[in-house]
Amino acid sequence: MITKRTPARTGPSFSVSVDAVVPTEIQLNSLPSEAEELAPQLRGFSYVVVEELVAIVDPRTRKVEIVFPRWGQQ
């Protein structure tokens, strides 16, 4: 659902890992409402797609909370 909406960024300027901080020059995307319905605990979170990874980000702190493969399931 996320990867169909958002093209991947290439060449991240930050480490895509849990607890990393997304630089302010990288735009965060709001989670689709369908994703929030499937996972209500993620309501209010944002995301960024970098190469083959999706990072779920707390928009207040810009801290990465979850990382998973772009095309895989976890």
Side-chain angles (χ1 to χ4, degrees):
M1 168 179 337
I2 289 172
T3 58
K4 290 179 182 176
R5 293 184 150 193
T6 308
R9 296 180 51 85
T10 55
S13 57
F14 70 102
S15 173
V16 182
S17 60
V18 173
D19 293 332
V21 175
V22 180
T24 56
E25 66 268 12
I26 295 177
Q27 179 181 348
L28 300 177
N29 303 289
S30 297
L31 282 173
S33 59
E34 300 93 338
E36 291 182 341
E37 288 174 18
L38 291 172
Q41 68 273 25
L42 296 179
R43 194 170 312 278
F45 279 74
S46 298
Y47 72 95
V48 63
V49 180
V50 180
E51 294 179 356
E52 295 303 316
L53 297 173
V54 176
I56 303 296
V57 180
D58 181 333
R60 294 166 293 159
T61 62
R62 299 186 70 86
K63 186 172 132 184
V64 176
E65 300 292 333
I66 302 168
V67 176
F68 56 92
R70 183 172 187 211
W71 301 113
Q73 293 181 347
Q74 199 172 19

